[in-house]
Amino acid sequence: MAYLYLMFFIVALAVWVYALFDVIGSDADAVRLLPKPAWAVIVLLLPKLGALLWFALGRPRRVEAGPVRPPSPFPEYDHPNRARGVTPEDDEEFLRRCRERAEEQRRRAREQAERREEDGPEETRP
C-alpha cells in the first residue's frame, strides 16, 4: 500500500512540475481564461488542482500544423528584428564600399596582368 501512495505522489509531482513549466513556457497571448502570471500562481499554490485546472481551462489550444518548410540555409536572415535596407538609399554606404572594393580588385588584376606581360613566358629549368 505504501508503494501505491509513493507512486501516486511521484505521478502527482511530475504532473505539477510539468504544468508549472508548461505555464512558464507558454505564450502569454495564447493563454486562455486568466493572465499567465495568475495561472503560475494558481499552479504554484494549488499543486494538484491548479495543474488540472491549467490543463483543462488555461492551456493554449493546439493549432493545426501547416505545411512544414525546410529550414532556411541562411538562418541569420530569419530573425524578425534583423536590420535590413528597404531602399538602395538606405544602403548607400554599403553600396559605395562594394563599388570601391570592386574597383580595387579590378586595379590589382590589371597590374598583375601587366606584370605578367612584361615578364614574358617563364623559362623552365631542367
Side-chain angles (χ1 to χ4, degrees):
M1 194 66 166
Y3 291 117
L4 186 63
Y5 287 128
L6 180 64
M7 191 167 63
F8 176 71
F9 174 75
I10 291 173
V11 168
L13 181 67
V15 168
W16 177 68
V17 169
Y18 181 79
L20 187 60
F21 278 97
D22 195 33
V23 169
I24 293 169
S26 63
D27 186 22
D29 295 333
V31 173
R32 299 182 293 155
L33 197 61
L34 294 173
K36 183 176 169 179
W39 279 113
V41 169
I42 290 171
V43 171
L44 274 173
L45 296 179
L46 305 169
K48 294 176 188 132
L49 182 63
L52 293 176
L53 288 173
W54 165 251
F55 290 124
L57 303 173
R59 191 171 193 198
R61 296 191 191 282
R62 276 194 193 182
V63 292
E64 293 298 322
V68 177
R69 296 183 329 175
S72 171
F74 303 104
E76 61 272 12
Y77 294 134
D78 293 339
H79 298 292
N81 295 327
R82 181 178 76 87
R84 53 183 90 134
V86 179
T87 62
E89 293 81 33
D90 292 344
D91 276 346
E92 194 59 42
E93 176 66 20
F94 171 75
L95 295 174
R96 183 187 59 76
R97 284 184 286 156
C98 285
R99 285 187 214 105
E100 289 174 357
R101 195 170 34 227
E103 287 300 321
E104 178 66 24
Q105 290 172 350
R106 288 185 196 113
R107 185 187 59 77
R108 285 185 192 158
R110 279 192 302 265
E111 289 174 359
Q112 288 176 355
E114 289 171 2
R115 270 191 247 127
R116 271 184 262 151
E117 287 176 5
E118 291 173 1
D119 293 343
E122 292 185 21
E123 297 177 16
T124 58
R125 294 183 183 167

